[in-house]
Amino acid sequence: MNFNRRLFLGTGVAAATTLAAPNVFAAGHGKPRVVVVGGGAGGATAARYIAKDSKGAIDVTLIEPSRMYYTCFFSNLYLGGIKTIDDLGHSYGTMAAGGVNVVHDWAVGVDRDAKTVSLAGGGSVTYDKLILSPGIDFVDGAVEGWDLSSQNAMPHAYKGGSQTELLKSQIAAMPQGGTFAMVAPPNPYRCPPGPYERVSMVAHYLKANNPTAKIIVADPKPKFSKQGLFQEGWANHYDGMIDWIGDDFGGGNVSVDPDAMTVTIDGDVTKVDVCNVIPAMKAGRIAELAGVTDGNWAPVNAADMSTKADADVYVLGDASQQGDMPKSGFSANSQAKVCANAVRGALTGSKVFPAKFSNTCWSLIDTNDGVKVGATYEATDEKISKVDGFISQTGETAEMRKATYEESEGWYAGITADMFG
Amino acid sequence: MRSHFQLVLALVASLAASAGWSETLGDPVKGAKVFKKCQSCHQVGEGAKNRVGPHLNGIFGSKAGSDPTAKYSKGLIRAGDDGLVWTHETLDAFIENPKALVSKTRMSFRGIKGADDRLDLLAYLRGFSDEPSNIPEAEPTAQGNYHNLDPAILAIVGDSEYGEYLASECMTCHQTSGANDGIPGINGWPTEDFVVAMHAYKQKLRPHPVMQMMAGRLSDEEIAALAAYFKDLE
């Protein structure tokens, strides 16, 4: 029954948009213009899909400061020595062939009345529809003793690229029997299983290279994503190496001293060799500058990812506050396709189909020991709402875990091809 | 014993290659009649139990002699330990002449000599195993689409434009290039295979949890739309 209703709604939307003459929304100039800020899993996907599906009818500009995109997803596998940094890098050179103009610059402001985005290098670009996919920034003062100026001494490594490489080199330089500390973030944050996959991959590296080293995790949360699976895996593969201190044991009462390289957990001071501080997160700054955030995130409408603040400004991925989906590359990619379909429909009168979302997060615990969690979602009036889901089980066979890992590699190849062509 | 078994397997493999069985489709309705020859010892379908011989649900893809509640000869158990898995090719060889494939098997049956009868029988049995159609992730054991789908579902003509939009969700994992690493390519699937496979996931007959979830919320029209889109994708 449900699908009939949704199908009917979809057809209704399609009929409504077909009535509007194409291109009427291109305010006073030739082709309608879409500007996308941020070339990650949300932005790159949206830009490519709009350009591809409109077949040149929409002018698509992607504003992205980097020449190469280093994925945050799979970066833990680089820390574990299973992937190289080159495996994670993807060039924007392929975007032009997909019909996307790429401007390598920082977007530093949005004038929503004039419909322009100003650039750090000077000048501005105009838009009919603006898609912001800026990822995350960190909340000031979230971890006592840490601010962005401490990110070399105590890396977050929660944006792909140089921070990931820095953390890797610090782990490699640890003395035998040294201590790796992580300050885990509070909800909501990018990639819920990410910190715990990272702990697994750091343990994987240390087990081979520094087997007497210790890992301590200070966590402000009483529980975390895939906890049963991770803790089973830690006991099986890294027995005695990992000490996870949840909120029940003072894990949330934490401060750091980047000069002294100490971590204080519930009053206990520990000298550490590496400290990975992953602070509380908020939407990437451009969303705030555009005035579409409310608190730390940008509230959006589930049907098309348009912001509650402005129907011509959309926010995708981690920066959005959409409902039940986790903040992940998979989610951003999924939201981008719904958004691209809606934006194209609004600008050219093409058919708009009902929103469907999905997400799967794979995590690697040790070589060939992969686990996953996933769900499907639909748009309701209030939010993106979960429909159905699954999670890997404890005690699965080695063959199934290996197949799950191989599947995650297939997904990595799939999503990066989907983003960059 | 072991070398003899391996020789037979090699023979089976070369026969399979030369005969081009994967191109030939059996008729499951005729196969149901052929199965009467087997019924005195084997059951198949809902509620099937082990009798003189093991029940045959889920036989495709299973290791020979692997049901702990069934009675097997030592020869069959050893063949399983040596790597005998029931595929279309191995089952065909076994049914043609049981003792040629597994010496001293308890299956005292002279075999079915007619190749067409065996094809029909296997098409029938195939419907009681997890993967009822020929898909890239499975061994190429499936011969035809024996299934319980309402013909009205198969008759739905999909809207390929809607399919293209829905397919964008598939493309996060299944690559448009049709590449096949870790996750199979699904470009160019025949419509019926696609529809049967998706409904098998939806009914949780096929085992993969991600696909059960993805297919589980697709309507019959949406599955038809996806099938219409992927059929022509190269």
Side-chain angles (χ1 to χ4, degrees):
Chain A
M1 291 312 105
N2 199 21
F3 69 75
N4 281 331
R5 182 178 59 80
R6 278 189 280 143
L7 214 68
F8 172 76
L9 279 177
T11 318
V13 172
T17 51
T18 310
L19 289 175
N23 294 354
V24 291
F25 298 110
H29 48 76
K31 275 190 201 176
R33 289 178 186 166
V34 171
V35 172
V36 181
V37 176
T45 305
R48 252 176 50 79
Y49 269 76
I50 293 169
K52 171 174 79 73
D53 293 339
S54 71
K55 298 178 176 66
I58 297 174
D59 193 61
V60 182
T61 299
L62 174 65
I63 301 172
E64 164 57 52
S66 310
R67 307 262 160 179
M68 289 284 285
Y69 180 72
Y70 286 91
T71 59
C72 212
F73 44 93
F74 268 37
S75 64
N76 290 326
L77 277 59
Y78 161 70
L79 295 177
I82 289 170
K83 298 286 173 192
T84 67
I85 196 73
D86 290 338
D87 291 336
L88 307 180
H90 304 271
S91 166
Y92 287 100
T94 53
M95 297 298 278
V100 177
N101 313 307
V102 184
V103 175
H104 288 297
D105 204 342
W106 284 96
V108 291
V110 175
D111 182 337
R112 290 200 276 120
D113 296 324
K115 291 194 157 186
T116 57
V117 178
S118 51
L119 303 175
S124 64
V125 288
T126 61
Y127 66 84
D128 296 298
K129 295 282 190 186
L130 173 64
I131 299 172
L132 302 176
S133 190
I136 50 134
D137 274 315
F138 300 107
V139 174
D140 287 340
V143 174
E144 191 186 332
W146 192 94
D147 63 29
L148 269 185
S149 70
S150 321
Q151 70 172 1
N152 286 350
M154 294 186 169
H156 53 77
Y158 232 65
K159 297 181 182 187
S162 60
Q163 274 276 309
T164 317
E165 289 183 279
L166 177 64
L167 184 62
K168 168 93 172 163
S169 67
Q170 291 180 355
I171 295 165
M174 277 171 67
Q176 289 296 309
T179 301
F180 172 98
M182 172 189 283
V183 178
N187 291 318
Y189 61 96
R190 160 180 285 182
C191 189
Y196 312 99
E197 181 189 57
R198 175 170 294 176
V199 166
S200 307
M201 287 291 98
V202 171
H204 172 80
Y205 175 86
L206 292 175
K207 188 179 174 183
N209 297 284
N210 190 347
T212 55
K214 295 282 177 208
I215 296 174
I216 52 176
V217 184
D219 203 324
K221 304 181 292 297
K223 58 191 173 83
F224 58 85
S225 171
K226 302 183 195 167
Q227 183 165 356
L229 295 166
F230 279 117
Q231 290 184 330
E232 176 196 52
W234 294 347
N236 286 344
H237 302 296
Y238 315 115
D239 191 29
M241 183 182 264
I242 299 162
D243 186 10
W244 178 77
I245 303 164
D247 191 42
D248 301 345
F249 299 92
N253 180 17
V254 65
S255 64
V256 297
D257 183 338
D259 296 324
M261 282 305 285
T262 58
V263 181
T264 305
I265 303 168
D266 209 24
D268 284 347
V269 183
T270 307
K271 178 90 174 75
V272 300
D273 299 289
V274 177
C275 189
N276 175 206
V277 176
I278 311 174
M281 298 171 201
K282 61 179 183 179
R285 179 146 169 76
I286 191 68
E288 193 180 332
L289 292 173
V292 295
T293 52
D294 179 8
N296 286 336
W297 311 101
V300 295
N301 298 301
D304 61 358
M305 304 301 291
S306 63
T307 55
K308 302 277 189 190
D310 187 332
D312 290 327
V313 179
Y314 301 73
V315 174
L316 302 179
D318 297 349
S320 68
Q321 178 184 308
Q322 33 69 21
D324 295 348
M325 295 184 84
K327 299 183 186 299
S328 73
F330 197 128
S331 292
N333 171 269
S334 173
Q335 293 158 11
K337 291 163 185 173
V338 168
C339 175
N341 185 251
V343 165
R344 189 163 64 92
L347 294 177
T348 68
S350 65
K351 261 195 205 174
V352 177
F353 297 107
K356 272 183 193 290
F357 304 93
S358 55
N359 175 66
T360 299
C361 290
W362 288 266
S363 303
L364 189 62
I365 298 174
D366 196 355
T367 306
N368 289 326
D369 190 359
V371 292
K372 58 186 171 182
V373 60
T376 53
Y377 306 86
E378 65 185 359
T380 66
D381 288 345
E382 313 94 78
K383 63 171 185 175
I384 295 181
S385 185
K386 183 173 167 179
V387 177
D388 188 19
F390 71 90
I391 184 165
S392 294
Q393 302 298 305
T394 51
E396 286 173 345
T397 62
E399 289 75 26
M400 179 174 278
R401 291 295 177 85
K402 181 164 186 279
T404 300
Y405 171 62
E406 285 167 358
E407 185 180 280
S408 75
E409 290 197 295
W411 163 75
Y412 187 91
I415 191 173
T416 51
D418 205 30
M419 290 162 63
F420 298 103
Chain B
M1 186 61 69
R2 175 178 289 237
S3 61
H4 170 69
F5 167 64
Q6 282 170 344
L7 183 71
V8 173
L9 261 196
L11 190 66
V12 167
S14 67
L15 274 175
S18 60
W21 283 334
S22 60
E23 301 301 317
T24 321
L25 301 180
D27 178 345
V29 178
K30 288 185 188 163
K33 289 184 187 134
V34 180
F35 186 70
K36 292 201 164 92
K37 294 181 182 177
C38 319
Q39 267 172 340
S40 55
C41 298
H42 292 284
Q43 297 187 353
V44 72
E46 196 176 338
K49 293 190 174 67
N50 293 328
R51 294 295 180 195
V52 176
H55 75 75
L56 300 175
N57 291 343
I59 185 76
F60 281 79
S62 70
K63 184 175 132 185
S66 60
D67 180 346
T69 66
K71 287 182 194 142
Y72 300 105
S73 62
K74 282 181 186 164
L76 195 86
I77 290 171
R78 192 179 307 118
D81 290 341
D82 283 353
L84 178 61
V85 171
W86 293 124
T87 63
H88 186 276
E89 285 72 21
T90 55
L91 280 170
D92 188 74
F94 191 57
I95 294 165
E96 182 178 17
N97 184 353
K99 289 189 165 49
L101 188 67
V102 181
S103 303
K104 297 183 182 169
T105 172
R106 291 179 65 234
M107 186 155 117
S108 49
F109 178 62
R110 68 181 179 282
I112 297 173
K113 299 305 164 212
D116 289 346
D117 284 348
R118 292 199 306 275
L119 273 181
D120 293 343
L121 176 61
L122 288 171
Y124 172 71
L125 291 177
R126 182 70 211 173
F128 302 101
S129 286
D130 270 353
E131 279 99 353
S133 95
N134 193 3
I135 58 155
E137 77 197 53
E139 296 241 336
T141 55
Q143 303 287 312
N145 281 316
Y146 185 76
H147 54 74
N148 59 1
L149 274 187
D150 183 345
I153 289 175
L154 282 171
I156 298 169
V157 178
D159 171 358
S160 79
E161 190 184 350
Y162 187 31
E164 182 175 11
Y165 165 70
L166 293 170
S168 68
E169 193 162 34
C170 314
M171 295 308 187
T172 304
C173 297
H174 299 276
Q175 297 180 50
T176 45
S177 65
N180 199 343
D181 35 37
I183 291 175
I186 52 175
N187 295 357
W189 262 18
T191 305
E192 185 170 326
D193 285 9
F194 192 102
V195 171
V196 168
M198 292 297 280
H199 280 279
Y201 283 122
K202 189 170 170 163
Q203 294 165 17
K204 303 198 190 294
L205 291 170
R206 285 180 181 237
H208 196 271
V210 176
M211 287 308 304
Q212 287 181 354
M213 178 182 79
M214 299 304 288
R217 61 150 173 188
L218 293 173
S219 68
D220 297 348
E221 285 78 7
E222 287 169 335
I223 289 174
L226 281 165
Y229 174 69
F230 278 110
K231 169 175 63 73
D232 296 324
L233 197 65
E234 289 177 359

